Amino acid sequence: MINTMPLKWILLIFTTLISMALSLGLGSSQIGFNDVWQCLFSECQSPIKHAVIHEIRLPRILVGFIAGAGLAVAGSLLQNTTRNPLADPYLFGIVSGAGLGATLGSVLFADANLGLPFMAFMGAAFSIVLVLAVVSSSRQRKLEHMLLAGVAVSFMLSAMTSFTLYFGDAFATNRVIFWLMGSLARAEYQALYFMAPVLIIALVLAMAFARQLDALLLSDENAKTLGIKVEWLRIGVLIICAALTAVIVAYCGGIGFVGLMIPHMIRPFFGVTTTKLLFAVALSGGIFLVWVDVVARTALGSQEIPLGVITSAIGSIFFLILMRRMR
Amino acid sequence: MSNTVSTDSLTSIQLSAEQLGFSIADKKIIEQVSLTLTQGEMLGVIGPNGAGKTSLLKLLYGAYQAQTGAVTLQSQNLASYSAMQIAQQVAVVSQHETNSFDLSVLDIARMGLVPHKSLFALDSADDKQVIQQALDKVDLIDKQTRIFSTLSGGEQQRALIARALVQQADILILDEPTNHLDVYYQHQILSLIKKLNLSVIVTIHDLNLAAQYCDKLCLLNRGQIVSHGTPEQVLTVEQLTDVFRLPCMIDTQPFSNKIRINFAPANNQLLEQLKVLAND
């Protein structure tokens, strides 16, 4: 039997680099591959191309890549630690919380001018505090309780968002609704300073506890008899995934299905154990969102399609295909 | 055999329980249970459903904390160990749940390294050798890349035992390892466990298997120990009819010369007759 693992990694890393390079040339104005190469590694031929590549596309592609990677990593970690293949960062109320934060910021405290990302992040943090409060107050701390707490908090915060939007003015409502659909149009280098460190911290922590996380894949009982403090490990994972999702949602809005779908696509090729899975989903989640964004900014010419619309459409079709193949 | 063990039993006691009591919300699960496990001994815990067998095991490996009494591991109170330290000395094969992800046999065996490795530590060449030796002992070396859920029940149980062996603990605790297995695998698993030469505590439903493989037995009923000793001491007509509420007779197994128990369907008349016989 030939070990195909190194080949798969080479292919994945190669695809990552190619995707980054190609997507730099694609957009409302097409730039040839040679020009992109020159702009990146030597001198741009025109100041306009320089501006398009360095000021607009490069930050957008990097933010998109980190966002896709982060969502996929958070999704994989949550699915593995809850042993629930349907777990998703969105299931824990993080996006609903961010939505509520963004809504309150735009509708009620518009004068304070706190900035959408900041308010969205505060909202997401609030939802996590709520979920954790519910989980730690329930006596048994069972797995199902954690998922149910997430769903309950999610619906409650969505209801509050809808209520506020219903009475808010049309302009603010529009702004929030478009933000909730997800976009990289506002991407700038500043977003990377927040997103990249959280992603790196999440990956480093996951590497540190990779053995413990792997042991959790069989059963809680199994992990406990190996001396692992299962409840603490799971709450730790929830917090780090929440932080990761919160910074991504704060800057990019609601981008659904990436965290749910990418781990499912990757497991058959790279296995289920933490280290291999996380690096593979990080790269492929990043590639996926970079290409989704290319579609978002080119498909309708000058008009951009919200990212969440595309990812949800692809995600639902993916799951229908997956269901058919499983039967 | 039993004489040689008892002469230096003080130094060779691996695990012991003294007057354990455990209840959940006023319901007494375990009451005044005392037992000892000596080096290299295979102790079978038997008893009817709901007798408290699994709870007793959980008390012994620290998953539950007893409200009264104490468990002593290597002459030190179990409560004074951290979970990690217990895991270095006691390996547990619990009744496993089915998992939804495709773990390979190797992935599962590798889990046994957890109590011995620090954060970030990678598998050393020695670790890999330990894993391969464990897989070899359970005869799964050729199936290590197979997905756990696609294996037969016996193979799954062996994979879990391999994981316990990688843990390199002196004590092995197994909760109903022969459950759901056909008779071939029941014998395969129990002879495998016996061959490992570890100190073993195992719950078994089949009394004849327990008699055949265990050095000592502990008969549990309603959370209390009815009898603790050799299979001959524990498996008596009187005690068995009392605990299992069925008429029974005892003779010897033709192959192993160990005790064989035959139960009859519930029948009060027969029960009375056998009691009279036993008293004679």
Side-chain angles (χ1 to χ4, degrees), chain A residues 79-80 83 85 204 207-209 211 214-215 217-219 221-222 225-228 267 272-273, chain B residues 58 61 83 87 92 94 97 99-102 107 111 113 117 119-123 160 163 167:
Chain A
Q79 287 176 8
N80 273 18
R83 287 189 302 280
V204 168
M207 292 307 102
F209 289 93
R211 259 174 222 288
D214 287 347
L217 282 167
L218 189 57
S219 67
E221 186 65 30
N222 174 66
T225 67
L226 289 168
I228 296 167
R267 278 195 195 94
V272 294
T273 49
Chain B
K58 287 193 171 187
Y61 62 78
V92 180
S94 45
E97 309 132 56
N99 70 308
S100 29
F101 291 120
D102 288 346
D107 289 335
M111 291 174 186
L113 293 174
K117 307 294 279 187
L119 300 183
F120 290 111
L122 299 174
D123 296 4
L160 295 174
R163 193 226 70 196
Q167 227 173 309

Side-chain angles (χ1 to χ4, degrees), chain A residues 247-262:
Chain A
V247 286
I248 294 168
V249 171
Y251 283 101
C252 308
I255 304 170
F257 271 108
V258 179
L260 188 58
M261 176 170 57
I262 299 295

